[in-house]
Amino acid sequence: MIPENLTKLKVTALTGGVGGAKMIQGIVNAIEPSRVTAIVNTGDDTILHGLYISPDLDTVTYTLAGMVDRGKGWGLADESWTVMHTLEELKGETWFRLGDKDIALHMFRTNMLSRGATLSEVTSTLCTHFGIATHILPMSNDPIKTVLTLAETGEEIGFQEYFVHLSHTVPVSRIRYAGIEDATAAPGVLEAITSADVIIISPSNPFLSIFPILSIPDISELLPPPVYHQTIATDKHHKSFDPADKQHKNNPKIRAKTVAISPIIAGKALKGPADRLLNEMGIQPTAAGVASIYRDTASVFIIDDEDAALKEEIEDMGMRCLVTNTIMHDVESSRNLAIEAIKAVIQI
Ligand code: FO1
């Protein structure tokens, strides 16, 4: 049970991917939805068939609207595929599956953007349309692209090319967030970080969902960027740009209210390539490996019951470590995890 006064707290969560959307759903079922802000990764955004597609924003939106395809974790549950079938007949590009209703939403977004609206404004319009009281904010209105270098060929490819077209099975030697050095946080993001009672770093993929958010220069001044010494970002001339090099105010107050949840359980990611990417980036693919990179950012780290043996190692890094069930197989388990995370920071 969550005490009545906790439901009035302000909670801000950093999120991306399917695991992140489940976390947000858990939080809005634990506390008042209008007091929750989701800061969402946009490094996965892509333009296909002339349409601006923002998968992480849409996954959170569809999940909170109760319309997501729960089996896949993304896209709409009640979907039809006429456009894709016709495109297949035309031998067009169909590796990125877009349902008919989903396409309508991308058309709507693309149209608004082409008329000068920002991604924040489009997202807010969609939230109003779907009756969502939670504040869903893109991390930035500036273009930031997650780009991965293939270890075998040295070729650089975009996020969806890696994740969907190549089924994230190919080894990667480098990840960068193109455009990040010129980007600023979207309206409301910095305020949501400073005014929150609790900040939750969702059990999303660190490299693909969370680091892009933490690497935006004005965000990294509030929330220290991950401890990660390989270059993770480059500027437009491909020159190294490591947000950790930048002098950031060490903000103990913000760290004290920040809790991160491990996306790795018993050395494996539940979904996606987080375990392999950690390995490829030279970090131990365990919950302790993830804790080591969040140690300046969060004061509390949550690991799964299966990893209880790692608690001491993590506490030796200077974080409090909470051991609980972190598998979100339904709304109830997501809510329970959210309550544990909030209570761990508020310390009750
Ligand atoms: N994921 C897939 O594995 N295959 C797809 O064809 C696919 C299409 C897609 C369309 C719209 C959308 O919002 C998400 C979609 N995703 C698909 C998921 C997406 O690639 C990932 O959830 C995220 O980008 C990872 O965070």
Side-chain angles (χ1 to χ4, degrees):
M1 274 297 289
I2 187 155
E4 181 60 27
N5 57 341
L6 288 199
T7 64
K8 297 285 176 219
L9 290 172
K10 265 183 100 172
V11 176
T12 293
L14 274 44
T15 179
V18 172
K22 287 182 178 175
M23 186 74 252
I24 304 297
Q25 190 176 36
I27 301 168
V28 306
N29 277 276
I31 67 162
E32 203 175 296
S34 65
R35 300 190 64 80
V36 180
T37 301
I39 301 175
V40 184
N41 170 46
T42 55
D44 301 9
D45 290 12
T46 190
I47 295 177
L48 268 175
H49 318 294
L51 300 174
Y52 187 100
I53 302 165
S54 197
D56 285 353
L57 281 170
D58 292 346
T59 300
V60 175
T61 305
Y62 291 156
T63 301
L64 293 192
M67 295 164 74
V68 78
D69 178 328
R70 281 199 74 89
K72 296 202 301 269
W74 51 268
L76 287 159
D78 184 19
E79 190 52 286
S80 58
W81 299 89
T82 308
V83 174
M84 279 292 117
H85 293 154
T86 310
L87 204 52
E88 267 157 18
E89 284 162 16
L90 289 165
K91 309 228 179 312
E93 211 174 351
T94 55
W95 55 268
F96 196 76
R97 310 295 295 169
L98 294 168
D100 298 337
K101 293 180 192 169
D102 196 28
I103 288 173
L105 184 132
H106 306 315
M107 290 169 71
F108 179 82
R109 172 188 291 121
T110 308
N111 195 18
M112 268 189 84
L113 290 173
S114 72
R115 287 164 189 252
T118 62
L119 191 56
S120 296
E121 287 163 349
V122 179
T123 307
S124 161
T125 302
L126 290 171
C127 281
T128 305
H129 169 76
F130 288 114
I132 296 171
T134 299
H135 309 279
I136 303 179
L137 307 179
M139 61 183 191
S140 176
N141 283 324
D142 300 315
I144 300 171
K145 296 236 155 301
T146 299
V147 179
L148 302 100
T149 305
L150 301 184
E152 276 163 22
T153 60
E155 185 196 350
E156 276 201 326
I157 57 170
F159 177 90
Q160 297 299 345
E161 186 76 22
Y162 163 76
F163 198 84
V164 175
H165 206 182
L166 299 176
S167 314
H168 51 71
T169 50
V170 285
V172 164
S173 58
R174 188 166 184 247
I175 302 169
R176 69 183 181 96
Y177 311 121
I180 203 138
E181 80 287 358
D182 290 332
T184 54
V189 165
L190 301 180
E191 208 268 332
I193 292 170
T194 49
S195 69
D197 298 302
V198 178
I199 299 171
I200 298 179
I201 299 182
S202 304
S204 304
N205 188 312
F207 294 99
L208 303 181
S209 299
I210 303 297
F211 291 3
I213 304 174
L214 292 176
S215 303
I216 295 174
D218 50 359
I219 296 181
S220 72
E221 280 178 24
L222 294 175
L223 270 170
V227 182
Y228 176 60
H229 295 299
Q230 239 167 298
T231 301
I232 55 172
T234 57
D235 68 12
K236 51 185 171 283
H237 311 295
H238 288 217
K239 255 176 37 211
S240 296
F241 169 80
D242 186 342
D245 287 343
K246 205 169 171 273
Q247 276 299 318
H248 54 78
K249 293 183 205 91
N250 197 353
N251 199 327
K253 269 199 196 148
I254 294 188
R255 182 179 180 271
K257 64 182 182 180
T258 303
V259 48
I261 301 162
S262 177
I264 303 288
I265 301 176
K268 291 261 162 270
L270 284 182
K271 200 173 190 291
D275 46 1
R276 276 172 284 127
L277 285 178
L278 280 162
N279 207 18
E280 286 160 5
M281 297 298 120
I283 293 159
Q284 198 189 81
T286 63
V290 180
S292 72
I293 47 183
Y294 283 138
R295 65 176 185 259
D296 283 354
T297 317
S299 64
V300 184
F301 195 71
I302 300 185
I303 60 174
D304 191 73
D305 291 321
E306 274 202 57
D307 286 320
L310 297 173
K311 182 175 160 73
E312 212 180 309
E313 184 183 343
I314 293 168
E315 293 201 322
D316 284 347
M317 296 174 198
M319 303 166 104
R320 274 188 293 129
C321 180
L322 180 79
V323 183
T324 189
N325 172 40
T326 62
I327 301 177
M328 297 180 282
H329 49 77
D330 56 16
V331 178
E332 197 49 35
S333 46
S334 300
R335 180 176 180 273
N336 289 339
L337 180 57
I339 293 171
E340 290 295 329
I342 294 166
K343 281 169 50 175
V345 167
I346 302 298
Q347 296 208 41
I348 52 158

